[in-house]
């Protein structure tokens, strides 16, 4: 029932209007002067105001002026019933906010029609406002809870859903699985194909994820390349694993961007409620820790959280603080991963890879701390330490009588762009008593492509000092081949993603053969990274790839273990190598 406030002293007209309103089914309330009218309007919030003040000899303009000053009352439709018919007066009332002016004598139908017209109009306006408000509220809700690029829920909404799922557990005893998922190599796409391509890739990923997941699950985008999935309808770990595996499979299909086809690999870490933790933030960190673990195992793999997986603080600040002390507290170590020549299966060299073990939190993956070290500039002293340690080790191996192994050290783009880089490295070599040819420097294709012209100058400088240079992660930087010719380099390391899957994906095979052929035309040595299977090794051999590196041959290991590996390697049955030649070169006997 619409509520109408009639303001004016009791008079014939006033009473007649009240009676009429009631008979027409309105709720009629009254106030007999301006002050009471304002108060009643404020407390009762009527749908419409009628003033009969003029009829008592008062002035409705005072009321209109008072209403105008109160924005919440100024919007209420106002009908003036007056005995003053002067145009000038009526005009003034309308300017002060009256919506309609009825000059006595008036009939009942006139009053009712005026009231209904105003109420109708007001209802329409309200309807529109409500629609706009609803719309705005929805947009605000989307902004607050959804990622604008992919339209997936963001971390706030994921958190809410996680809370709800956990609350339901007390009734339905349905455990909750939290999957932390990261797209590897997104950064390279951004760096080389541009952010638009990266964005398109993320949107396509979001579509695939949404399409792949069972109903009732939530998929959220957390940060740049990290997504999370919440599963609440499964019966066993095996079922969760199957979902994760399915996601990995679907994301490993090529993505067609306007400029080219892109392959991604995905890693997934899984934590279970209540099995792993009943605390949400711990659960999130456990899933992340499992993800890091998965990344270290091999690409396209997933990993359940286990108690022995170290959980790193979510807080980058804490990690940064740890990182600042890591050098002086001797928490770093150099691991060496063997590289095998494919002509005669001899171990020709190794890649030096950094390892960090935090005293309380255990091993922390380079994939996690190297980007932070680069951001903070800590990579410069850490990188120098790596070079220094590696030089010392290589010297030791030489002194032990091993023939010079070709050992490569990774140079981050931050180091690469440091002034006097060549001089710094030369000094470290000098101190260790090594010649520059003992060392190969690995620089990623992406780092070189950031400023190709500058890179050519720096590389030329390093070359004249006698260092060997390898392009790392080749194939992920999408560098144009014309640049490759201009880069003074010795070695091309083909990225893992082209090697893994080579046995099943004909496209990878075509890329591999083309890259190997091209590299050989340019007189470059080709190393294939990430070789995990015998079949991959066999294919690489048949493509005349020069060197292979990967878990199939050997994992990264400490120096002592690497020495044992070399000794043991010879004794391994089934190796297609000339043992005597090997023994001669490496000074070990089988
Ligand atoms: P990267 O230079 O491409 O190094 C190869 C990575 O692949 C290493 O990971 C290695 O453990 C891993 N790997 C080797 N064989 C296989 C395999 O068969 N399968 C799979 N799935 N992976 C394999 P790691 O040691 O975790 O290093 C990750 C990245 O961190 C490196 O990638 C490199 O970019 C960076 N990094 C490591 N050590 C250093 C360093 O001393 N300095 C700098 N600047 N970066 C480093
Ligand atoms: Ca490398
Ligand atoms: Ca690499």
């Amino acid at each position: 029932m619409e509520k109408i406030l009639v303001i004016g002293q009791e008079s014939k007209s006033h009473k007649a209007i009240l009676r009429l309103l009631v008979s027409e089914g309105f709720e009629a309330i009254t106030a007999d002067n301006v002050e009471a009218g304002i108060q009643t309007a404020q407390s009762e919030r009527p749908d419409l105001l009628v003033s009969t003040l003029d009829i008592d000899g008062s002035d409705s303009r005072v009321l209109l002026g008072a209403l105008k000053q109160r924005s919440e009352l100024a919007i209420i439709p106002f009908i003036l019933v007056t005995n003053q018919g002067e145009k000038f007066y009526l005009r003034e009332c309308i300017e002060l906010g009256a919506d309609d002016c009825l000059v006595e004598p008036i009939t009942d139908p006139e009053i009712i029609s005026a009231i209904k017209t105003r109420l109708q109009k007001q209802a329409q306006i309200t309807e529109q406002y409500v629609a706009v408000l609803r719309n705005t509220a929805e947009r605000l809700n989307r902004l607050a809870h959804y990622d604008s690029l992919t339209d997936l829920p963001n971390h706030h909404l994921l958190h809410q859903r996680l809370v709800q799922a956990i609350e339901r557990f007390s009734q339905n005893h349905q455990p909750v699985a939290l999957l932390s998922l990261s797209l590897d190599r997104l950064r390279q796409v951004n760096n080389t194909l541009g952010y638009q391509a990266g964005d398109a890739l993320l949107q396509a990923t979001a579509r695939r994820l949404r399409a792949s997941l069972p109903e009732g699950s939530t998929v959220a985008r957390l940060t740049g390349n990290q997504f999370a999935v919440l599963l609440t309808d499964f019966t066993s770990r095996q079922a969760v694993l199957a979902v994760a595996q399915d996601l990995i499979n679907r994301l490993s299909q090529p993505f067609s961007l306007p400029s080219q086809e892109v392959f991604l690999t995905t890693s997934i870490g899984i934590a279970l409620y209540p099995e792993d933790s009943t605390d949400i933030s711990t659960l999130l960190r456990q899933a992340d820790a499992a993800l890091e673990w998965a990344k270290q195992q091999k690409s396209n793999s997933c990993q359940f959280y286990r108690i022995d997986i170290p959980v790193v603080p979510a807080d980058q600040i804490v990690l940064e603080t740890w990182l600042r002390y890591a050098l002086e507290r001797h928490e770093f170590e150099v691991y060496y991963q063997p590289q095998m020549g494919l002509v005669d299966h001899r171990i020709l060299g190794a890649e030096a890879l950094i390892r960090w073990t935090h005293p309380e939190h255990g091993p922390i993956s380079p994939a996690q701390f190297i980007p932070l070290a680069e951001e903070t500039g800590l990579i410069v002293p850490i990188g120098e330490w790596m070079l220094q340690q590696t030089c010392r080790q290589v010297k030791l191996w030489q002194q032990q009588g091993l023939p010079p192994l070709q050992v490569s050290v990774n140079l981050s783009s931050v180091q690469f762009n440091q002034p006097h880089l060549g001089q710094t490295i030369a000094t470290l070599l000098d101190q260790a008593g090594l010649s520059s040819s003992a060392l190969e420097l690995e620089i990623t294709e992406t780092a070189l492509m950031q400023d190709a012209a500058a890179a050519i100058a720096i590389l030329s400088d390093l070359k004249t000092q006698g260092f060997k240079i390898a392009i790392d992660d080749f194939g992920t930087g999408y560098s144009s081949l014309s640049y490759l010719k201009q880069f003074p380099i010795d070695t091309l390391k083909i990225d893992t993603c082209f090697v893994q899957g080579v046995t099943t994906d004909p496209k990878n095979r075509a890329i591999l053969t083309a890259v190997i052929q091209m590299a050989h035309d340019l007189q470059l040595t080709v190393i294939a990274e990430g070789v995990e299977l015998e079949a991959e090794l066999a294919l690489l051999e048949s493509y005349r790839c020069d060197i292979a590196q990967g878990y199939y041959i050997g994992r990264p290991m400490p120096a002592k273990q690497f020495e044992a590996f070399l000794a043991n390697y010879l004794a391994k049955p089934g190796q297609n190598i000339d043992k005597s030649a090997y023994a001669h070169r490496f000074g070990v006997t089988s």
Side-chain angles (χ1 to χ4, degrees), residues 184-185 188 252 263-267 294-301 337 339 351 353 410 442 444-445 471-477 492-505 507-509 511-512 515 526-533 536-537 540 545 547-552 556:
D184 310 326
R185 271 189 289 278
Q188 275 102 320
S252 68
F263 288 85
L264 287 183
T265 54
T266 312
S267 310
K295 279 191 197 162
Q296 284 173 45
Q297 302 315 302
K298 62 184 177 74
S299 42
N300 279 335
S301 69
Q337 184 175 32
Q339 297 172 332
E351 176 176 3
L353 291 158
N410 291 284
E442 290 192 12
T444 63
E445 188 190 8
I471 293 201
D472 200 359
D473 300 345
F474 184 79
T476 61
L492 209 79
K493 297 192 79 174
I494 303 181
D495 189 69
T496 312
C497 68
F498 298 104
V499 175
Q500 291 170 356
V502 73
T503 49
T504 51
D505 188 345
K507 274 200 196 120
N508 269 11
R509 243 175 279 171
I511 293 171
L512 262 188
V515 169
V526 183
I527 302 183
E529 291 191 275
V531 179
E532 292 181 357
L533 305 170
E536 288 164 358
L537 193 70
L540 288 165
C545 176
I547 297 172
Q549 177 185 342
Y551 294 168
Y552 180 73

Side-chain angles (χ1 to χ4, degrees), residues 321-463:
T321 315
W322 291 359
L323 197 56
R324 287 190 185 279
Y325 290 109
L327 257 186
E328 59 189 72
R329 292 184 184 163
H330 308 292
E331 291 168 7
F332 291 123
E333 195 178 354
V334 187
Y335 272 42
Y336 299 88
Q337 184 175 32
Q339 297 172 332
M340 183 179 82
L342 291 180
V343 175
D344 51 11
H345 284 198
R346 273 184 296 134
I347 300 300
L348 300 177
E351 176 176 3
L353 291 158
I354 195 164
R355 289 294 175 265
W356 179 21
T357 311
H358 187 270
E360 285 133 47
H361 289 262
I364 300 171
S365 144
Q368 199 158 16
F369 73 83
I370 293 285
L372 187 64
E374 288 177 333
E375 238 170 72
T376 52
L378 286 167
I379 192 67
V380 175
I382 293 174
E384 275 180 27
W385 179 88
M386 273 298 286
L387 280 160
Q388 191 185 45
Q389 290 304 108
T390 309
C391 290
R392 279 187 195 158
Q393 187 57 61
V394 172
K395 183 71 188 176
L396 269 177
W397 282 334
Q398 285 183 3
Q399 284 168 345
Q400 284 172 24
L402 297 181
L405 288 164
Q406 181 73 72
V407 177
S408 62
V409 176
N410 291 284
L411 276 193
S412 129
S413 64
V414 178
Q415 282 174 283
F416 184 66
N417 291 308
Q418 288 282 305
H420 319 301
L421 172 69
Q423 199 49 54
T424 310
I425 305 177
T427 308
L428 290 169
L429 278 159
D430 256 8
Q431 284 168 356
L434 272 187
S435 77
S436 52
S437 63
L439 212 59
E440 187 159 58
L441 303 172
E442 290 192 12
I443 302 144
T444 63
E445 188 190 8
T446 318
L448 293 179
M449 291 308 291
Q450 279 168 4
D451 182 352
I456 291 171
I458 299 171
L459 290 178
S460 307
D461 180 45
L462 292 172
K463 278 301 298 182

